[in-house]
Amino acid sequence: MTVPRSDSPLPAVPSGSPASAASSGAPGADPYTADEMMTVAAARRLRGGSCFVGIGLPSVAANLARRTHAPDLVLIYESGTIGAKPERPPLSIGDGELAETADAVVSVPEIFNYWLQPGRIGVGFLGAAQIDRFANINTTVIGTYDDPKVRLPGAGGAPEIAASCREVTVIVRQSPRTFVERVDFVTSVGFGSGPGDRERLGLRGSGPRTVITDLGVLEPDPVTCELVLTHLHPGVTVDRVRAATGWDLAVAADLRETEPPGPRELAALRALTGRQG
Amino acid sequence: MATVVPLAEAVGNLVRDGDSVALEGFTHLIPYAAGHEIIRQGRRDLVLIRMTPDLIYDQLIGMGCARRLVFSWGGNPGVGSLHRFRDAVQNHWPAPLEIEEHSHAGIANAYVAGASGLPFAVLRGYRGTDLPSRTPNIKPITCPFTGEELTAVPAINPDVAIVHAQRADRHGNVQLWGITGVQKEAVLAARRSLVTVEEIVEELQPRPGAVVLPEWAITHVSEAPGGSHPSYSAGYSVRDNGFYRAWDGIARDRDTFLAWMDENVLTRKAGR
């Protein structure tokens, strides 16, 4: 299922730059950005049930899902708001609108102990500063812990979200700095060092099922647990994804192309983010 | 027995150099006015405890009040970094800062243990992460009934807990609602406590979903209207997201930060 690695790294395209919509085949289709493709692709993965939402990209995608194909999706934020229905994606996980629109507001110990820890929540939706071959996530430091190049915010709710949600979706822009062979610090466990590690550690959720980037979609190989490229977003090549990956990225035999964002998806997304089409 | 006293007096009575101090409030009801009073009183060598340090600990750290920080997420929510926190960790400015970091679940449970009079809390957490390798305060523990390996964290019992709430009555009974975070646990875990409130009312009307902290569980109550800004107090104010965005520019540069603190904190008197 692996194709040889390209030896000629291609220049990374900055996120937010226009993505080609040419392959959509729809004449006059709206141009969209790589970030919009990523957010739409992430939103589509949320079908219903409950979702523990991280702030930033995950929150925009989860709110988009609720506004489009998954109106009954229960959004849970670590501030203790269960079933929040914000009009706009909140800036923080504790904006007033989350509490005002929630089905229930519970304390922080309760959200982690009664709701997350026993495995009641379907999807954990996380971002990452670094992610590795086995989908382990770093949001703590770049460089060494004692003398970091960049001190990042840290763990927050992520380690237990990654451990205890029934499955995890990660949304992160893809670059060689972000997609690394080994994360500098394991803040949240994906598949550890490979098959069997989650079971050995007693992590009861099934771990990351999907990693959605601005270039495509990666999923863990069912046998090796290694992330494999399974979807390319329209206009993106395998070589470009491999050049944006810090390990020898495997590519699925049945590599597919992501459906480009539809007009309804784009309109709903832009209504959320306030971006003009 | 709570006594209702002015904020400067409450902070002066309760917070001493070297104390462990928890200012809690999860995005909502963050006790900014009390934090600013600690800065004005020039406290030093504090062990600051807080799940999300937020801008208030960025300010305390940048003003040199802290020796150590115990936390679980040190960013400016939705905006980016806490630049004063980063500068202290990366460049030891204005002073070296020891850090002990946890996950949210870990700190929340440590407060619960503290409030419960237990020496430690147990949770399904941290397993497989690098966090336990950085502190002696995260350790594996075996369930005596099933043999399952879980994680323990020691109780947090701060010298002082400080929270902000919507209302208190004249006796010092406190009522708070909306996102209630870990404030109840922090107050009940602490040796001494201060609750700042938006207003003091004649009588607390019962309110569904509100947390009530009875006056006999609190040391001091101080009236501090607007005392959670730029955080917010549901029913009284909304989160000043514009200020959270603006802080990124203010805090990025040491001199700009110091000038802002001088103008907006040091030369201003505490409210009533």
Side-chain angles (χ1 to χ4, degrees), chain B residues 217-233:
Chain B
I218 301 168
T219 317
H220 281 320
V221 169
S222 299
E223 199 171 28
S228 63
H229 180 269
S231 169
Y232 69 106
S233 300

Side-chain angles (χ1 to χ4, degrees), chain B residues 48-202:
Chain B
L48 293 177
I49 307 164
R50 196 176 144 72
M51 294 183 67
T52 57
D54 206 87
L55 276 45
I56 187 60
Y57 278 16
D58 214 29
Q59 295 172 358
L60 281 151
I61 291 165
M63 295 303 284
C65 301
R67 168 172 68 82
R68 180 177 176 80
L69 175 69
V70 180
F71 74 107
S72 45
W73 194 84
N76 181 345
V79 177
S81 292
L82 293 175
H83 297 291
R84 296 299 95 226
F85 160 64
R86 269 182 69 169
D87 203 13
V89 172
Q90 295 175 205
N91 307 310
H92 314 299
W93 191 93
L97 181 70
E98 296 167 27
I99 56 172
E100 174 183 331
E101 66 182 303
H102 287 270
S103 65
H104 282 347
I107 294 210
N109 277 290
Y111 277 128
V112 170
S116 306
L118 291 170
F120 68 90
V122 62
L123 71 153
R124 295 182 185 284
Y126 299 106
R127 303 264 300 152
T129 75
D130 285 338
L131 290 160
S133 69
R134 310 310 316 192
T135 167
N137 285 340
I138 304 169
K139 286 204 186 323
I141 187 168
T142 304
C143 171
F145 305 105
T146 64
E148 188 178 1
E149 196 159 286
L150 301 161
T151 300
V153 289
I156 293 177
N157 291 107
D159 292 318
V160 191
I162 302 178
V163 302
H164 188 73
Q166 281 97 341
R167 289 178 188 151
D169 65 16
R170 288 181 295 106
H171 306 290
N173 297 295
V174 166
Q175 190 186 46
L176 62 104
W177 64 87
I179 291 170
T180 56
V182 288
Q183 288 96 303
K184 180 180 181 175
E185 290 77 11
V187 167
L188 296 180
R191 292 173 185 87
R192 307 184 291 276
S193 59
L194 163 63
V195 184
T196 57
V197 294
E198 287 292 318
E199 63 173 336
I200 290 177
V201 297
E202 279 305 303

Side-chain angles (χ1 to χ4, degrees), chain A residues 125-138:
Chain A
F125 208 163
L126 298 174
Q130 282 184 333
I131 186 167
D132 68 20
R133 186 191 278 267
F134 292 111
N136 302 300
I137 290 173
N138 173 17

